[in-house]
Amino acid sequence: EEKDSEKDSQDSNEEQNEDMCDENRDTQLMSADCEMNDEEGEKDMNKTTQKFLHILAQFLEGESSLLRGIAAEGLAKLLLAGRVISNRLLVRLFLLWYNPTLQDEDHVRSVLGAFFTTFASSEQSARMNIAESYIPLMQTILEAPPTSPLCNVDVNNITDFVINLSAPVKNNEDSAHDSLSLSVANHLLSSDSNDVIWYRVYCRALSLMKLTPSNESN
């Protein structure tokens, strides 16, 4: 009887261990399913976000000044809130701000004027984003067709504005101009353009930059 009792006890323990293993496997499978669902959800969310941003960006160049103002304000708020990080969008907003055909759209100019100063003063990463948008911005203007209103913008004024916005606001802050100065210098060396004006513009940008004194690479 004692042997039978011991055997029954061993059988019971084995069954409990099997049940626990099954539960662990189920838990692991459920966790894996949840992770897969989260990844798929993030991908779907990214696709939806991209579509939404694309629609808003299209309104920036549309015929309706009302929709352009709404789109500019929406994109500015997303950038300020950190919901969107896009140097390409920053370039679009800079181009909108300097487009001479939109100088009479007070709402757009009011929104963008407030956005640029607020965004630049918000945090260091924002100033980095502004600095990184400088060369793509200037390239867009340089490559604009002769019929484009961008051919009439003051590139020196744009340079002053962007360099000033991206300048460090604290003495102990790593300047966004450290990396920008290298990018501009490399761009000058590798550029195929023979336009003296653009060389002067980039050299002007370099002269305006505030580099980090403690950075040995400077």
Side-chain angles (χ1 to χ4, degrees):
E1 291 179 0
E2 291 180 356
K3 291 182 179 179
D4 292 339
S5 178
E6 289 178 358
K7 184 177 180 181
D8 292 340
S9 178
Q10 289 177 353
D11 292 341
S12 176
N13 290 334
E14 288 177 358
E15 290 177 358
Q16 288 180 356
N17 290 333
E18 289 177 358
D19 290 340
M20 289 177 67
C21 290
D22 290 339
E23 288 179 2
N24 289 334
R25 280 197 296 269
D26 291 341
T27 302
Q28 291 174 355
L29 288 172
M30 289 176 64
S31 298
D33 289 340
C34 288
E35 289 176 2
M36 291 177 63
N37 289 334
D38 287 344
E39 290 176 0
E40 291 174 358
E42 287 179 3
K43 289 180 180 178
D44 292 339
M45 182 65 72
N46 288 335
K47 290 180 181 179
T48 303
T49 301
Q50 290 297 327
K51 289 181 181 179
F52 176 68
L53 293 176
H54 181 68
I55 293 172
L56 282 181
Q58 284 184 320
F59 286 140
L60 296 179
E61 299 174 359
E63 296 181 358
S64 172
S65 60
L66 176 61
L67 291 178
R68 182 166 30 255
I70 294 172
E73 185 172 354
L75 290 172
K77 288 182 176 180
L78 288 173
L79 287 165
L80 276 174
R83 298 292 184 181
V84 174
I85 300 174
S86 172
N87 295 340
R88 185 180 299 178
L89 275 181
L90 275 175
V91 170
R92 297 284 291 272
L93 294 181
F94 275 120
L95 292 174
L96 191 66
W97 171 257
Y98 276 100
N99 191 327
T101 63
L102 305 177
Q103 297 300 307
D104 295 333
E105 296 191 11
D106 295 335
H107 179 62
V108 172
R109 294 192 58 75
S110 176
V111 166
L112 293 181
F115 162 71
F116 287 130
T117 54
T118 305
F119 185 68
S121 61
S122 61
E123 54 188 356
Q124 183 188 11
S125 61
R127 292 184 285 280
M128 290 286 187
N129 293 144
I130 293 174
E132 290 169 0
S133 70
Y134 175 69
I135 291 180
L137 173 62
M138 304 307 280
Q139 279 295 106
T140 303
I141 297 172
L142 174 62
E143 296 170 0
T147 56
S148 172
L150 295 177
C151 292
N152 299 319
V153 302
D154 186 344
V155 289
N156 285 320
N157 185 275
I158 295 177
T159 293
D160 293 354
F161 187 54
V162 175
I163 298 302
N164 182 60
L165 285 177
S166 56
V169 297
K170 299 177 182 178
N171 293 330
N172 60 345
E173 176 182 329
D174 288 337
S175 176
H177 293 169
D178 292 348
S179 57
L180 178 59
S181 61
L182 293 176
S183 297
V184 170
N186 289 331
H187 187 72
L188 277 170
L189 294 173
S190 61
S191 177
D192 295 330
S193 175
N194 295 321
D195 195 334
V196 177
I197 294 177
W198 283 98
Y199 280 98
R200 290 177 177 173
V201 169
Y202 286 131
C203 287
R204 176 185 176 84
L206 288 171
S207 69
L208 295 172
M209 293 182 192
K210 297 179 179 179
L211 305 180
T212 306
S214 59
N215 191 335
E216 294 181 359
S217 63
N218 294 329

